[in-house]
């Protein structure tokens, strides 16, 4: 059968933390359309869902970063990836759920702003300013980041509490890419070493899950993390290996989210009696966080 005919089956995560006790999954059988993307399927679901699905997108062309979600457990851009014959669409991992597929990125964006993601210069440059290509190449490469947070959904979080993920000291790759974009810009005069120490740049692990994950083609380890470490700290020992991680669903007092927990954090929370198993249809590892 042609890839442009037949049906696809989409299981969509539905959950309003303010109204529902637990999430549920809706199953939709949709006609396959030529060149169908995940976003096309979600827009069809939106049209036929009895109470409309909450999902976010804007440009439809890999420019705005708004449509990031999890498909069959993998973070990706809905407007760029093909619809699969069978797919489970869930909100982006590691971010609190607002409703259905929409997550709250505001706490993470606050962290990014604390990393001063802008140029600071003491002297106003001549206009037009000549920018040598060789000096600007690294920053230019990183300026292609569309802040979609797909990369941050592919790593483990270091710690959580009743209010959400604690990002300081383990800031996640999207924040580090933004930070590196300015750390590697020869025009910037911000003193960034202390910021990088507080943020945890040197100790942020080398996650294999980041290889090839960026929809903008940024090699996060080679283009951002390694050169920023070199620029700020010189030759230092390589970053630690990434921890083993498992994806879980958590309902806490102040948030609910899919989270990648390191095995160590998962063990620690279980030993402290802070993770109570929850029965949720369609989710193997669901817990109530009792912190
Ligand atoms: S580095 Fe790539 S994956 Fe990460 S936020 Fe930027 S565009 Fe998205
Ligand atoms: S809708 Fe803008 S990147 Fe997907």
């Amino acid at each position: 059968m042609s890839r442009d005919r037949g049906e696809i089956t989409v299981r969509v995560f539905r959950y309003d933390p303010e109204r529902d006790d637990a999430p549920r999954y809706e199953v939709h059988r949709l006609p396959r359309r030529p060149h169908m993307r995940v976003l096309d399927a979600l827009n069809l679901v939106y049209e036929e869902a009895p109470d409309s699905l909450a999902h976010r997108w804007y440009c439809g062309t890999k420019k705005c970063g708004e449509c990031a979600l999890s498909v069959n457990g993998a973070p990706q851009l809905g407007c760029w990836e093909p619809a699969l014959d069978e797919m489970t669409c869930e909100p982006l991992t590691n971010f609190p759920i607002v409703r259905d597929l929409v997550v709250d990125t505001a706490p993470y964006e606050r962290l990014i702003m604390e990393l001063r993601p802008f140029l600071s210069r003491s002297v106003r440059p001549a206009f037009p300013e000549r920018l040598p290509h060789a000096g600007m190449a690294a920053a230019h490469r990183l300026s292609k980041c569309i802040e979609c947070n797909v990369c941050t959904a592919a790593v483990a979080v270091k710690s959580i509490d009743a209010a959400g993920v604690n990002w300081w000291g383990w800031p996640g790759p999207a924040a580090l890419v933004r930070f590196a974009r300015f750390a590697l810009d020869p025009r910037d005069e911000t003193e960034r070493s202390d910021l990088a120490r507080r943020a945890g740049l040197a100790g942020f692990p080398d996650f294999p899950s980041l290889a090839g994950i960026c929809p903008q083609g940024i090699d996060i380890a080679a283009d951002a993390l390694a050169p920023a470490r070199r620029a700020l700290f010189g030759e230092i020992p390589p970053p630690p290996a990434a921890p083993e991680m498992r994806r879980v669903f958590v309902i806490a007092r102040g948030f609910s989210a899919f989270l990648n927990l390191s095995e160590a954090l998962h063990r620690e929370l279980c030993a402290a009696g802070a993770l109570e198993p929850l029965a949720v249809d369609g989710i193997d590892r669901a817990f109530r966080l009792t912190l």
Side-chain angles (χ1 to χ4, degrees):
M1 184 180 292
S2 157
R3 291 279 299 156
D4 290 343
R5 302 232 188 98
E7 275 192 342
I8 66 169
T9 304
V10 187
R11 288 175 72 242
V12 188
F13 177 90
R14 303 298 308 266
Y15 182 45
D16 181 345
E18 292 191 353
R19 292 172 38 185
D20 303 333
D21 291 335
R24 67 185 198 284
Y25 286 83
E26 265 176 17
V27 178
H28 295 258
R29 296 208 163 70
L30 305 170
R32 177 173 275 291
R33 294 184 171 168
H35 313 296
M36 192 175 200
R37 305 164 300 171
V38 174
L39 178 61
D40 298 318
L42 293 176
N43 284 340
L44 284 178
V45 169
Y46 176 81
E47 284 167 21
E48 73 171 36
D51 50 338
S52 63
L53 172 73
H55 71 298
R56 197 181 262 154
W57 66 284
Y58 181 63
C59 69
T61 56
K62 204 170 68 160
K63 294 279 188 296
C64 71
E66 291 289 312
C67 62
L69 79 163
S70 177
V71 176
N72 295 346
Q76 57 185 247
L77 290 183
C79 74
W80 205 249
E81 300 299 331
L84 305 176
D85 289 340
E86 308 228 343
M87 56 183 184
T88 298
C89 295
E90 294 168 325
L92 199 62
T93 306
N94 293 343
F95 291 90
I97 295 163
V98 176
R99 182 159 79 85
D100 301 340
L101 303 180
V102 174
V103 293
D104 182 8
T105 55
Y108 194 60
E109 279 157 19
R110 278 197 287 278
L111 164 85
I112 292 177
M113 288 314 292
E114 290 192 49
L115 297 177
R116 301 179 67 80
F118 42 80
L119 279 186
S120 173
R121 312 176 79 178
S122 50
V123 178
R124 185 190 288 261
F127 181 82
E129 185 179 13
R130 290 172 68 91
L131 298 176
H133 176 76
M136 286 300 298
H140 176 67
R141 203 170 297 124
L142 301 183
S143 68
K144 293 183 184 150
C145 171
I146 55 172
E147 299 162 34
C148 64
N149 292 318
V150 161
C151 52
T152 297
V155 300
V157 298
K158 178 77 174 297
S159 65
I160 53 174
D161 59 29
V165 175
N166 304 318
W167 292 108
W168 266 105
W170 183 288
L176 291 175
V177 167
R178 284 286 290 289
F179 180 77
R181 182 255 171 271
F182 294 97
L184 298 174
D185 190 319
R187 299 168 297 171
D188 185 51
E189 296 171 12
T190 309
E191 165 35 53
R192 293 190 182 271
S193 310
D194 278 354
L195 263 184
R197 256 180 225 107
R198 279 179 56 217
L201 169 67
F204 187 71
D206 184 15
F207 280 96
S209 52
L210 292 179
I213 192 93
C214 174
Q216 288 297 86
I218 296 171
D219 182 330
I220 291 166
D223 293 342
L225 305 183
R229 282 181 183 121
R230 259 197 314 278
L232 295 168
F233 304 127
E235 289 307 325
I236 56 173
E244 293 292 313
M245 60 187 186
R246 58 173 74 192
R247 186 167 174 268
V248 302
F249 175 74
V250 166
I251 296 181
R253 263 184 287 139
F255 78 107
S256 50
F258 284 93
L259 296 170
N260 288 326
L261 298 185
S262 67
E263 291 293 345
L265 177 59
H266 187 261
R267 265 198 310 277
E268 186 187 309
L269 292 169
C270 288
L275 282 182
E276 249 174 33
L278 268 181
V280 179
D281 260 1
I283 303 181
D284 290 340
R285 292 187 286 248
F287 300 92
R288 185 174 301 285
L289 183 72
T290 59
L291 287 176

